[in-house]
Amino acid sequence: MTARVARTGVLRQPGTVLFGPGERRHLPRLLAEVGRHVLVVTDARMAGVAEFEDLVAAVEARGITVSVFAEAEPDLPRENVLAVVDRYRGSGVDALLAVGGGSCLDLAKVAAAVLAHGGDIRDYYGEFLVPGPGLPVVTVPTTAGTGAEVTCVSVVFDREKGMKVGVASPHLEPYAAVIDPELTLSCPPSLTAATAADALTHLVETFTDRVKDVTPEFLAGHLYVGKNPLTDIFCRSGLTLLNSSMESVVADPSDIEARSATMLAAYNAGMAINTAGTAAAHAIQSPIGALTHTSHGFGVGALLPYVMRFNLPVRVAEFAEIGTLLGVADPGSAPLDRAKAGISRVEELLETVGCPTDLKTLGLRPRDFSHVADQAMRATRLTANNPRDLTHESVVEILRRGWDDDRTWWSV
């Protein structure tokens, strides 16, 4: 009997990951390995938190010179990258420490590349266009959801282009990630909810992604190489963690165990999307976010019920397993029934954290459906991951159902 050969497994990850309450204590040692003048990238809110001041003091006590850029903005505008590069090019900065949410982490990763190689961030829009390693980056997330602490992708909002653009390169991979759940205790409830919705969407999308033929040539030119056995491990772990922690962290934001579980789930999600990639919900949310100025996490969460229904006909087995992982599938029922139970539980988790589950609530207008579909179809790096082929017409139908809160089951 011939043994069945598993599909190709592919994984990208930082060189070091430290996880757990209080693990920020390792930062001085990690930074001393790579730099003598560290630029700390954060935002105004985090810069005023006592834990941040203590962190900077501990790094300085190691004999490291510290500069702080505390002007990172949500949705990472290109202007933030220009400001960092203009201010610190030629300053002797030789490593970066990113402390904050996804925009802070993404800013540090792309700034490290431009500081090392010159030019404008626009030179690196796309895949595999960063010519070599940037300055070393250590990431410290203060939210549980984006996964940016372990990914080699940054998303930049280019106002002149009117759209978000990805910079995707293995050279953006952080040197190390330090994931300390204590740093999320000061995270506002609305941000906690939005980032949790983002993590849940990452896990569902990557677990149901397209499976690709990962030839050496394909791997050399594409960051996102599809669902595979290694990313599935992270998806299963993350979904199981969020199934209980999402409800707990909303009920008691000071619950460090719930914070830890949610943050570990977000890390799992980051590890999965770093190789498999996100799909339709993320492609469609970007133009919606530009029009409505609503949060990324709530945007992808609001789309997820309708994207799941669109993809269900070609991913019954995966959604059925999600139903089992989330403890709602009757083992004796048909796969389609288990799959529907899994989708319903995902929606329940989104509603638990207060995520809108329709597009009308986001402020999207029907007259914008065609424009959103046009823009979404341009995000080929993401649409190529969706398990069911997307067209302009199918995106418009997803939007229509989402606007109407139409959760009937979609069939081919």
Side-chain angles (χ1 to χ4, degrees):
M1 181 177 178
T2 303
R4 183 180 178 184
V5 178
R7 302 191 316 272
T8 301
V10 184
L11 202 63
R12 294 186 177 91
Q13 57 191 327
T16 299
V17 176
L18 291 166
F19 176 90
E23 290 304 278
R24 61 189 182 277
R25 62 184 174 163
H26 292 280
L27 283 168
R29 176 187 61 81
L30 283 170
L31 289 166
E33 293 175 358
V34 292
R36 302 306 303 163
H37 183 179
V38 171
L39 173 61
V40 183
V41 176
T42 191
D43 56 29
R45 182 191 73 84
M46 194 64 205
V49 174
E51 289 85 352
F52 178 82
E53 296 175 357
D54 293 343
L55 187 155
V56 169
V59 175
E60 290 177 326
R62 187 74 181 230
I64 298 171
T65 300
V66 174
S67 298
V68 178
F69 180 89
E71 301 161 36
E73 300 173 72
D75 295 319
L76 184 49
R78 171 174 168 261
E79 289 78 7
N80 278 182
V81 186
L82 298 177
V84 171
V85 173
D86 181 65
R87 195 173 304 174
Y88 297 102
R89 178 177 280 155
S91 67
V93 164
D94 52 6
L96 286 83
L97 171 63
V99 183
S103 291
C104 295
L105 309 185
D106 279 358
L107 173 57
K109 290 186 288 186
V110 289
V114 182
L115 285 170
H117 301 291
D120 187 290
I121 186 58
R122 285 176 172 166
D123 299 331
Y124 307 126
Y125 288 171
E127 284 188 274
F128 282 73
L129 295 179
V130 178
L135 300 180
V137 178
V138 176
T139 54
V140 181
T142 61
T143 63
T146 69
E149 66 271 15
V150 294
T151 64
C152 41
V153 176
S154 290
V155 179
V156 179
F157 178 62
D158 193 313
R159 295 185 200 278
E160 293 178 17
K161 296 179 180 293
M163 62 187 296
K164 291 182 177 180
V165 189
V167 179
S169 168
H171 295 308
L172 261 60
E173 193 68 69
Y175 171 77
V178 177
I179 306 170
D180 187 336
E182 289 180 352
L183 295 175
T184 66
L185 291 172
S186 62
C187 186
S190 60
L191 185 56
T192 296
T195 51
D198 194 19
L200 181 61
T201 305
H202 289 161
L203 291 163
V204 172
E205 286 206 300
T206 50
F207 196 62
T208 57
D209 261 351
R210 188 181 296 263
V211 177
K212 301 178 183 179
D213 181 15
V214 188
T215 64
E217 295 75 21
F218 186 84
L219 186 60
H222 294 82
L223 200 70
Y224 291 157
V225 296
K227 168 186 171 70
N228 66 77
L230 296 180
T231 59
D232 281 354
I233 292 170
F234 287 96
C235 289
R236 292 184 180 105
S237 173
L239 286 165
T240 303
L241 287 163
L242 282 185
N243 193 39
S244 58
S245 68
M246 280 181 76
E247 295 171 327
S248 299
V249 81
V250 169
D252 182 6
S254 66
D255 183 344
I256 192 62
E257 291 298 324
R259 288 281 189 184
S260 297
T262 304
M263 206 164 199
L264 185 56
Y267 158 74
N268 276 279
M271 290 297 294
I273 64 172
N274 202 27
T275 305
T278 54
H282 279 71
I284 301 170
Q285 184 279 328
S286 182
I288 291 176
L291 287 170
T292 63
H293 305 291
T294 47
S295 79
H296 170 79
F298 279 168
V300 293
L303 280 159
L304 191 57
Y306 313 98
V307 170
M308 289 191 294
R309 282 168 168 73
F310 175 74
N311 288 330
L312 173 60
V314 297
R315 282 293 180 267
V316 172
E318 285 79 4
F319 280 115
E321 185 173 353
I322 288 175
T324 299
L325 290 167
L326 301 183
V328 292
D330 178 355
S333 63
L336 182 59
D337 291 332
R338 299 199 301 272
K340 290 179 177 179
I343 289 172
S344 296
R345 176 58 179 163
V346 169
E347 293 169 349
E348 184 181 325
L349 289 172
L350 291 169
E351 290 165 349
T352 294
V353 299
C355 180
T357 49
D358 70 90
L359 303 183
K360 189 183 296 184
T361 301
L362 295 181
L364 183 67
R365 299 167 297 186
R367 71 187 189 193
D368 292 322
F369 287 178
S370 184
H371 166 74
V372 169
D374 285 340
Q375 294 296 105
M377 292 303 296
R378 293 175 63 185
T380 53
R381 184 170 54 89
L382 305 183
T383 59
N385 300 323
N386 205 67
R388 187 174 172 191
D389 288 342
L390 288 164
T391 63
H392 180 278
E393 292 72 24
S394 62
V395 173
V396 168
E397 181 64 9
I398 289 170
L399 295 170
R400 184 194 67 75
R401 292 186 183 222
W403 200 83
D404 289 337
D405 195 15
D406 176 1
R407 300 198 209 174
T408 55
W409 297 104
W410 196 315
S411 59
V412 176

